[in-house]
Amino acid sequence: MARIFVTHPLPGTAFLRLSEEHQVTVFSADRSPTKAEIIDHLQTAEVLVSLITDEITSEVIDAAPHLRIIANYAVGYNNIHVDWATRHKIPVLHTPHVLTDASADLAFALMLAVARRIVESDQWLRSGAWAGWKPQQMLGTHVTGKTLGIVGMGRIGIALARRARGFEMPILYTNPERLAPGLERELGARHTDLDELLAQSDFVSLHCPLTPHTRHLINAQRLQQMKQGAILINTARGPIIDEVALVAALQTGPLQGAGLDVFEQEPDVHPDLLASARVVVTPHTGSATTETRAEMTALLVDGIHAILQGRIPHNVVNPEVLRTQQEPDQDD
Ligand code: GLV
């Protein structure tokens, strides 16, 4: 039985399983713990289950004498100082695969919502302003057949490309590594550099992790490289876009619109983005389906059990810290 500190209750039955089998302390459903409160709980806890809103810094890790596992309820782990955890031989779990489809679905939904002015149309109709059908009413932009640029062709980027295939969209992509030629052919995707991708794409969707290299990757200069009338989608991490520069590119060109699920200073959103009818915003809901959130919980709970039993689950970010003593899970 391990002492587990969870910063927020998690959905799904696997969470009950965790509480039945371990000594679990849940911080609160109403607010996130402060750094001091996390450190306080980590005086005794052996396992930390964190959200992306919890900053697990080197200071927090240094102040946790018994910590054996960090389990982050997200696929992204930019909120955790993973190198520091590795130095302390602490494995970091995350939730890949199970949220791929939900996240790609949301990115595609935002593409359609911005291009076809779904939210604006809904609000206008509800306001009572609609006096009947007119040829020029609520004209949007065609989606089928347009070029989609995908920045970061990992699991979610590939899943988005599969959806775009159904819309006959040629795909350009950037990624540190090229996909296998067979997969490129299947997706109708061409590897290129960011300059060409921005210049050629009608839609640009971001799917790279947030790292020092990708912070403000989409800055004022890069926004100016985009095609006139292009639509930018971000379901990855807010700071990949310079939000002030984005506001300018929406006001003076070349951007026609943006679909944003993530923001630079969450939960705050730049007021000009909130005021713009050409921007569709969602509150960081990429993985927010009942099914996916339950699967994310199960993945972390299974991962915690595997490590506690001396196995190496597939969803460890830094498996090298376990490799010396343990063998990989056979069923992964
Ligand atoms: C959500 O943003 C995640 O990384 O899972």
Side-chain angles (χ1 to χ4, degrees):
M1 180 178 267
R3 292 185 300 275
I4 302 183
F5 175 53
V6 184
T7 63
H8 192 282
L10 301 181
T13 51
F15 192 56
L16 301 177
R17 189 153 49 90
L18 195 70
S19 312
E20 279 160 16
E21 293 173 18
H22 299 281
Q23 187 183 320
V24 173
T25 305
V26 180
F27 181 73
S28 169
D30 301 325
R31 69 171 180 93
S32 298
T34 62
K35 183 167 68 176
E37 286 166 332
I38 294 177
I39 288 177
D40 189 33
H41 284 276
L42 291 185
Q43 293 318 294
T44 50
E46 296 156 280
V47 179
L48 167 65
V49 181
S50 54
L51 304 188
I52 47 170
T53 45
D54 302 316
E55 291 294 329
I56 311 304
T57 59
S58 55
E59 189 191 344
V60 172
I61 293 169
D62 281 341
H66 306 286
L67 193 57
R68 291 171 59 192
I69 303 174
I70 299 172
N72 202 42
Y73 190 65
V75 68
Y77 43 84
N78 52 288
N79 58 311
I80 294 178
H81 197 324
V82 173
D83 288 344
W84 208 259
T86 303
R87 274 201 213 187
H88 285 256
K89 302 227 172 309
I90 299 171
V92 176
L93 290 164
H94 71 143
T95 63
H97 305 287
V98 295
L99 47 62
T100 300
D101 286 327
S103 304
D105 286 350
L106 184 74
F108 212 89
L110 287 172
M111 284 168 52
L112 289 170
V114 177
R116 299 304 304 271
R117 302 172 67 179
I118 303 286
V119 176
E120 188 187 356
S121 295
D122 175 281
Q123 288 172 349
W124 184 70
L125 191 156
R126 288 172 199 267
S127 77
W130 190 33
W133 193 91
K134 295 215 178 73
Q136 277 90 350
Q137 214 160 59
M138 281 292 163
L139 298 186
T141 302
H142 215 68
V143 176
T144 299
K146 293 292 180 68
T147 298
L148 170 61
I150 300 180
V151 178
M153 200 62 139
R155 289 175 291 261
I156 301 173
I158 290 171
L160 181 69
R162 289 197 202 285
R163 284 148 180 77
R165 273 311 256 172
F167 283 70
E168 298 160 29
M169 301 177 85
I171 290 159
L172 299 173
Y173 75 95
T174 62
N175 202 49
E177 284 130 44
R178 261 190 82 167
L179 299 178
L183 185 54
E184 279 191 349
R185 263 195 309 279
E186 181 195 326
L187 299 174
R190 182 163 68 78
H191 189 248
T192 182
D193 58 25
L194 189 56
D195 291 342
E196 191 194 351
L197 182 147
L198 294 174
Q200 302 288 327
S201 300
D202 301 293
F203 294 83
V204 173
S205 193
L206 306 180
H207 297 282
C208 50
L210 175 63
T211 65
H213 175 68
T214 61
R215 184 172 292 274
H216 282 195
L217 179 71
I218 305 299
N219 56 19
Q221 185 212 326
R222 293 249 164 73
L223 286 161
Q224 287 312 311
Q225 288 175 260
M226 292 180 72
K227 211 167 165 177
Q228 191 60 42
I231 290 173
L232 179 63
I233 305 296
N234 189 9
T235 55
R237 284 292 182 266
I240 298 170
I241 300 179
D242 177 344
E243 230 165 64
V244 171
L246 172 62
V247 167
L250 284 160
Q251 284 166 354
T252 58
L255 279 194
Q256 180 197 143
L260 305 170
D261 184 49
V262 288
F263 306 90
E264 259 200 276
Q265 305 287 342
E266 293 177 13
D268 297 331
V269 181
H270 194 296
D272 292 358
L273 295 176
L274 292 179
S276 172
R278 293 188 285 129
V279 177
V280 175
V281 287
T282 48
H284 204 142
T285 52
S287 63
T289 70
T290 306
E291 298 90 332
T292 295
R293 289 281 163 89
E295 286 183 65
M296 288 166 66
T297 304
L299 195 55
L300 288 189
V301 171
D302 291 345
I304 291 168
H305 282 146
I307 294 174
L308 291 176
Q309 289 162 9
R311 290 177 287 120
I312 305 180
H314 71 84
N315 55 324
V316 188
V317 173
N318 51 351
E320 64 274 20
V321 303
L322 298 169
R323 245 177 222 139
T324 45
Q325 326 79 311
Q326 298 166 7
E327 293 300 318
D329 259 11
Q330 292 308 306
D331 54 354
D332 292 326

